[in-house]
Every structure is written in C-alpha cells, then in structure tokens.
Amino acid sequence: MDDQKLDETAAACKELISTRFPDDEDRGAAAMLLADGTILTGTAPDAINPSVEVCHEIEPYCGAFRLGQPVVASICLHRQPGGRTIVLSPCGVCRERLAVHGPQVLVAVAAPSDATEIVWKPLKDVLPDYWMTAFPDEVDPGWILR
C-alpha cells in the first residue's frame, strides 16, 4: 500500500472535521480509500433519538458500494475540544462491513502509547477470529489461510 495515499486519506478525514465543524466541540469523521484511488469521506448527522444515529463510516462505505469500488483502507478520527484528534479503531459493526472487502483492508487504529498516532493494520489482524471462517466455501480464502 502506498503510504502517501494513506496519508492523503487521513488528511481528507481531518479536513472534513475542520471544515464541517470549525468550532471546537467534539466531532468526528471517517475516510475510505478505494481501489481506484478515490478517497470518500463522511460524518454522522446529529439525531435527537440516539437509537437512530449512524456512524461516520456509513457515508463513505455506501459511496464505495454505489461506485462499485472495493475499500482498501478506512480511518475514523475524533477531534476533542482543544483540537486533539484521536484515532478510533473500527467498531464490530464496521469491521463486519469492511470484512466483505477482504482481510487485507487496512484500518487505522491508535498507537498503544499515543491515541493521536495512526497505525495502519490489515483487518485480519484486528479481526483474527472472523466468524465467517466457519463457512470456508463462502468466504474470501484470505480469511482462512494463516
């Protein structure tokens, strides 16, 4: 994977946070790098009822599907008051969504010693015991091969 494209993906995510939310409150966004080099970004709209909220990754994930492009990398960032931006690893639902793109999808996680430092890992490393491996005829072989 091209480190420059990963840096551009992270920068696009940060740019969305700063342009869409110029104030200093808690806000986040996500960005996904597609196989053709396109970078899609998204954020979560506010909702009065928390049960109908969606995550930041929904918009770029749906955009990738609309474009018929595989996701090759995904990042979610959260800016805290004061400007500190932390890396949020994909939750279980987002890991499931990304899993259809294969075990090699790179996901951003926070460095153990610094939550603001981006570490890129293959999805297989953050989802080592993927449940679909119980169906070897239905899953990308990369999930099964160790």
Side-chain angles (χ1 to χ4, degrees), residues 14-76:
K14 288 178 185 177
E15 178 68 17
L16 175 57
I17 295 170
S18 67
T19 57
R20 173 62 182 89
F21 308 109
D23 54 11
D24 193 34
E25 63 185 275
D26 281 301
R27 289 297 186 161
M32 292 183 184
L33 174 62
L34 308 185
D36 70 355
T38 300
I39 297 171
L40 300 178
T41 60
T43 190
D46 295 328
I48 294 172
N49 180 346
S51 69
V52 299
E53 291 178 351
V54 297
C55 66
H56 303 303
E57 293 90 342
I58 291 289
E59 187 176 2
Y61 182 77
C62 289
F65 181 77
R66 177 179 42 82
L67 295 171
Q69 284 291 314
V71 173
V72 297
S74 179
I75 185 170
C76 185

Side-chain angles (χ1 to χ4, degrees), residues 2-3 11 29 31 44 97 110 117 119 122:
D2 181 354
D3 286 343
R97 290 179 181 132
E117 184 182 333
V119 176

Side-chain angles (χ1 to χ4, degrees), residues 122-146:
L123 184 59
K124 187 171 185 172
D125 289 355
V126 297
L127 188 60
D129 299 309
Y130 184 41
W131 69 273
M132 276 295 294
T133 60
F135 304 98
D137 295 337
E138 299 176 34
V139 70
D140 181 319
W143 284 109
I144 298 181
L145 303 174
R146 290 273 178 193

Side-chain angles (χ1 to χ4, degrees), residues 89-102:
S89 72
C91 73
V93 172
C94 285
R95 290 175 192 204
E96 284 291 329
R97 290 179 181 132
L98 292 168
V100 301
H101 295 282

